[in-house]
Amino acid sequence: QVTLRESAPALVKPTQTLTLTCTFSGFSLTTRTMCVSWIRQPPGKALEWLGVIDWAGDKYYSTSLKTRLTISTDTSKNQVVLTMTDMDPVDTATYYCARTLMVGTTNYFDYWGQGTLVTVSS
Amino acid sequence: DIQVTQSPSSLSASVGDRVSISCRASQNIRSYLNWYQQKPGKTPRLLIFGASTLQSGVPSRFSGSGSGSDFILIISSLQPEDFATYYCQQSYSTPWTFGQGTKVEIK
């Protein structure tokens, strides 16, 4: 059974760095085709993809946010960590991690965490 | 970045109606197009991947078609549980991008 769960502080102050942790089970991030993505959704708005780490440890990021984002992994703990620097109130959103399959002719998010709401406010 | 545009942004329909949602990419993305359903306060759910492959467990009233830059999601007979927001997403090249969503409301 595949599960993912995000954890993060509910409130961060402007200019602070946000650290989000995705703890997953039911698959291995070292298995070819397995990846974990980060996606966010501001209240009442659309989904926005942030970045992905694949089974080889390669990482890809949103163009607009790549200078602020870092994805890392601890495969021994089945965790993927996203750090986002210089937080701003516009970064207030529900942040999701999702298992991502890259299977040659297609890539997709098949399992999602329940999401964690992060509010940026002083 | 590849832009993905959905239309309409919202629609009203009745139970039993046939509903179609369009998704257009700013360039050729072959069949690298996925559809997700999101109900209020809930996590998105994968419906269709690779433009037309139904995810396991998704009812057969959902179907997807298209390739290149134009895609369609069809719900053949709308059910009460289908009232939600639908998103398309291109996975042809990173950065992957979502459409802005289509909200399907009860008429």
Side-chain angles (χ1 to χ4, degrees), chain A residues 51-89:
Chain A
V52 63
I53 184 166
D54 70 14
W55 67 92
D58 294 327
K59 305 151 196 176
Y60 304 89
Y61 298 102
S62 158
T63 300
S64 61
L65 293 169
K66 61 183 176 182
T67 60
R68 299 173 52 206
L69 298 177
T70 302
I71 296 176
S72 60
T73 183
D74 185 336
T75 53
S76 67
K77 294 182 179 179
N78 278 359
Q79 289 182 333
V80 173
V81 176
L82 175 73
T83 59
M84 180 179 291
T85 61
D86 194 24
M87 293 293 286
D88 184 272

Side-chain angles (χ1 to χ4, degrees), chain A residues 41 49 63 104 107 109 112-113, chain B residues 1 32 34 36 38 43 87 91 95:
Chain A
Q41 186 172 38
W49 179 78
T63 300
N107 317 302
F109 315 125
W112 296 62
Chain B
D1 295 8
Y32 286 78
N34 309 315
Y36 301 86
Q38 187 179 33
T43 296
Y87 293 94
S91 61

Side-chain angles (χ1 to χ4, degrees), chain B:
Chain B
D1 295 8
I2 298 174
Q3 307 304 314
V4 177
T5 304
Q6 287 181 238
S7 61
S9 56
S10 67
L11 64 91
S12 295
S14 300
V15 172
D17 284 353
R18 178 183 174 91
V19 167
S20 64
I21 299 169
S22 174
C23 182
R24 173 166 287 179
S26 60
Q27 67 180 71
N28 185 347
I29 59 170
R30 295 165 61 183
S31 293
Y32 286 78
L33 193 284
N34 309 315
W35 291 97
Y36 301 86
Q37 175 195 63
Q38 187 179 33
K39 298 180 181 180
K42 300 296 185 182
T43 296
R45 171 196 183 194
L46 175 67
L47 296 177
I48 288 169
F49 60 90
S52 61
T53 303
L54 205 63
Q55 171 70 340
S56 175
V58 174
S60 59
R61 63 180 179 272
F62 291 92
S63 64
S65 64
S67 66
S69 60
D70 288 306
F71 303 86
I72 294 177
L73 173 70
I74 291 176
I75 310 172
S76 60
S77 177
L78 198 65
Q79 297 302 301
E81 60 268 30
D82 300 336
F83 291 95
T85 299
Y86 294 83
Y87 293 94
C88 59
Q89 175 248 332
Q90 69 81 17
S91 61
Y92 179 72
S93 64
T94 58
W96 295 331
T97 44
F98 287 92
Q100 81 278 17
T102 295
K103 187 173 184 179
V104 176
E105 299 174 301
I106 302 173
K107 182 181 283 185

Side-chain angles (χ1 to χ4, degrees), chain A residues 1-7 20-31 33-38 52-57 71-82 96-101 110-114:
Chain A
Q1 180 188 5
V2 173
T3 65
L4 303 100
R5 185 182 74 252
E6 306 87 352
S7 56
L20 294 135
T21 301
C22 176
T23 303
F24 59 88
S25 64
F27 68 98
S28 172
L29 196 48
T30 59
T31 299
T33 77
M34 297 294 172
C35 318
V36 171
S37 290
W38 286 97
V52 63
I53 184 166
D54 70 14
W55 67 92
I71 296 176
S72 60
T73 183
D74 185 336
T75 53
S76 67
K77 294 182 179 179
N78 278 359
Q79 289 182 333
V80 173
V81 176
L82 175 73
Y96 297 98
C97 60
R99 188 179 82 162
T100 307
L101 295 188
D110 63 343
Y111 288 91
W112 296 62
Q114 83 281 9

